Amino acid sequence: MNIRLADRVNRIKPSSTLAVSAKAKELQGKGIEVLNFSAGEPDFDTPLNIKRAGIKAIAEGFTKYTPVGGVDELKDAIIEKLSKENNLEYKRSQLIISCGAKQSVYNLTQVLLDENDEVIIPAPYWVSYPDIVLLAGAKPIILNTFEDDGFKITPEKLERAITKRSKLLILNSPNNPTGCFYTKEELSALGEIILKYKLLVLSDDIYEKILYDDLSFCNIANIGEEFKELTFIVNGVSKSYSMTGWRIGYLAGNDEVIAAVSKIQGHSTSNPSSISQKAAIEAYIAPQNALYDMVKEFKRRRDYIVDKLNSIPGISCFKPAGSFYVFPRVSSLYKRKFKNKEILNSVELCNFFLEIARVAAVPGGAFGNDECIRMSYTTSMENIEKGMDQINSVISMLE
């Protein structure tokens, strides 16, 4: 029986990152060892004190519905975090807790965007941004960046992309997949254009705490009060506290918009998990030692994998300032052959790495740049060393 699907479903593509992970797991299920560099989550366990807070919530019967937008205790913990760490002041009415940062992004686009609105998305981008915009009926405008400019947009490039239909700019810093990071000076320069055209900004800060080399985090709202009024901050506990499965994210911004988001959420998921909310409170108010240790280990892995990739013939790798990904350029390997089959793009190269080297990476085309592939270093140093050796060995097989 053929059932006609809604047109909106045909506008979007399945997540490439999830597809690669599924293929790698399928091979692993057959007993084949695969070194998985496709995962977008830390390999560390959720810190014990956070898990205990969740267990305590269950034991005490905190297992019922909460308000749609989350409990006040968690909102207050996030408000304090934003004040102390980001020098940004918000009220409870300007904050909503959702089932992960992805839901926060989705809800915001549903509230802000109409048909024919344009959303400017710097590429490389997180795979879901364009599809989430399309689901809202709006048009993603992809603004390409390149390794030579640090994978960052400039004020001139931003202004050229703006039209009468431009409504929203998505900024993700530190960035997935490149790990690039905007300094306060760079954001101030972009801010002149943003303010000139009254462009709204979605600031995706989910990798805020995974930052290296003594860099200080800043987002567009920090530039001044007039920018804060145009900015919507998305963040959560998934990456920083290794709580991907707990599904807690938040959105901070204009009261009226947050109220509208609450209406959307009230008719979809309703409140995020009561138990996860209690665990997230502990994540924000407890000592941050586990986070610091995790970031220190990620830096050690980053330094190794960047150096190793740059030593492999045909690969060059930009050094990320944050997040836990590398985005090496591999296009010089295209048009080479393996067993008379030519490799033409990032998908075919990733398939080659998976099938021959038993290394799983994500095609860069999914992120808007087919010259590169994304590799996550959220795996052990032993696996990283082994994976780099296996990639190096199979490249020599290409003609």
Side-chain angles (χ1 to χ4, degrees):
M1 177 181 178
N2 291 324
I3 298 176
R4 184 182 177 278
L5 300 177
D7 289 340
R8 72 179 67 89
V9 177
N10 297 320
R11 299 175 194 161
I12 63 173
K13 307 177 295 294
S15 169
S16 297
T17 51
L18 296 179
V20 172
S21 291
K23 192 170 182 179
K25 288 176 182 176
E26 181 184 341
L27 290 172
Q28 289 168 332
K30 296 177 181 177
I32 300 170
E33 182 186 31
V34 175
L35 299 170
N36 194 348
F37 291 82
S38 68
E41 61 181 350
D43 55 315
F44 297 88
D45 196 5
T46 303
L48 184 58
N49 63 306
I50 297 173
K51 291 196 290 185
R52 283 175 173 161
I55 293 168
K56 183 181 178 185
I58 295 171
E60 293 180 349
F62 193 73
T63 56
K64 307 297 183 182
Y65 293 131
T66 74
V68 168
V71 297
D72 285 344
E73 188 182 359
L74 178 53
K75 286 186 177 182
D76 290 344
I78 293 170
I79 288 168
E80 184 175 0
K81 176 257 184 246
L82 288 166
S83 177
K84 287 185 175 180
E85 296 182 8
N86 305 100
N87 197 30
L88 294 170
E89 303 301 325
Y90 289 93
K91 302 175 293 185
R92 288 177 181 172
S93 60
Q94 296 173 304
L95 191 71
I96 184 169
I97 316 299
S98 300
C99 302
K102 182 181 284 191
Q103 188 187 23
S104 295
V105 174
Y106 181 87
N107 286 348
L108 182 66
T109 60
Q110 289 293 312
V111 163
L112 291 182
L113 303 177
D114 282 317
E115 294 283 340
N116 298 319
D117 283 341
E118 293 179 351
V119 178
I120 298 171
I121 306 174
Y125 46 72
W126 176 48
V127 294
S128 292
Y129 290 145
D131 290 316
I132 288 174
V133 168
L134 288 169
L135 282 170
K139 182 180 180 181
I141 303 298
I142 306 304
L143 201 53
N144 290 316
T145 68
F146 304 95
E147 184 177 344
D148 290 344
D149 51 30
F151 291 116
K152 291 182 274 192
I153 60 172
T154 62
E156 296 76 20
K157 187 176 284 190
L158 174 60
E159 186 162 28
R160 286 196 297 270
I162 294 174
T163 72
K164 292 180 179 179
R165 294 178 175 176
S166 300
K167 188 164 188 181
L168 183 67
L169 165 68
I170 298 180
L171 279 180
N172 174 215
S173 172
N175 173 267
N176 171 13
T178 67
C180 78
F181 169 75
Y182 287 87
T183 65
K184 187 171 186 178
E185 292 72 25
E186 290 167 335
L187 290 173
S188 294
L190 291 175
E192 293 182 17
I193 306 303
I194 289 165
L195 202 59
K196 178 180 177 181
Y197 293 94
K198 293 294 186 287
L199 197 61
L200 299 176
V201 181
L202 190 166
S203 181
D204 186 344
D205 300 352
I206 196 68
Y207 296 97
E208 167 196 7
K209 292 180 179 293
I210 305 174
L211 198 57
Y212 311 117
D213 305 322
D214 299 319
L215 291 170
S216 297
F217 179 78
C218 177
N219 67 30
I220 199 74
N222 290 124
I223 306 305
E225 189 62 31
E226 64 273 34
F227 296 102
K228 182 187 169 195
E229 292 175 4
L230 296 170
T231 302
F232 298 91
I233 294 174
V234 170
N235 209 330
V237 296
S238 60
K239 314 297 184 179
S240 299
Y241 300 100
S242 198
M243 294 176 67
T244 51
W246 297 78
R247 309 313 301 136
I248 293 291
Y250 67 83
L251 174 69
N254 173 276
D255 306 62
E256 292 183 13
V257 173
I258 296 300
V261 167
S262 183
K263 286 168 64 178
I264 292 277
Q265 189 162 297
H267 288 295
S268 55
T269 60
S270 192
N271 64 276
S273 161
S274 58
I275 299 153
S276 297
Q277 289 185 67
K278 284 290 189 180
I281 293 166
E282 176 68 13
Y284 283 119
I285 67 174
Q288 306 289 293
N289 296 2
L291 165 64
Y292 301 145
D293 291 343
M294 182 175 71
V295 174
K296 183 178 179 181
E297 174 60 16
F298 279 151
K299 182 183 183 300
R300 186 172 79 97
R301 296 176 188 177
R302 177 206 64 168
D303 293 344
Y304 178 85
I305 196 170
V306 168
D307 288 345
K308 197 67 177 179
L309 284 167
N310 279 321
S311 73
I312 297 175
I315 297 179
S316 67
C317 187
F318 172 81
K319 191 171 188 177
S323 78
F324 38 63
Y325 310 103
V326 284
F327 200 59
R329 187 169 70 243
V330 293
S331 53
S332 65
L333 299 174
Y334 300 167
K335 297 186 178 180
R336 294 174 65 177
K337 295 180 180 179
F338 177 72
K339 294 183 177 179
N340 294 321
K341 182 180 179 182
E342 197 171 35
I343 294 172
L344 298 175
N345 52 47
S346 62
V347 171
E348 293 180 3
L349 185 66
C350 283
N351 285 334
F352 170 71
F353 284 156
L354 183 58
E355 293 168 10
I356 308 303
R358 300 306 187 196
V359 170
V362 187
F367 304 94
N369 186 330
D370 195 50
E371 292 188 344
C372 301
I373 61 175
R374 192 194 77 173
M375 304 187 77
S376 168
Y377 44 94
T378 57
T379 186
S380 68
M381 183 63 84
E382 179 185 0
N383 285 345
I384 294 172
E385 292 171 357
K386 192 173 180 180
M388 295 304 100
D389 289 342
Q390 290 176 195
I391 286 176
N392 193 23
S393 66
V394 300
I395 284 176
S396 64
M397 300 178 186
L398 295 175
E399 300 173 0

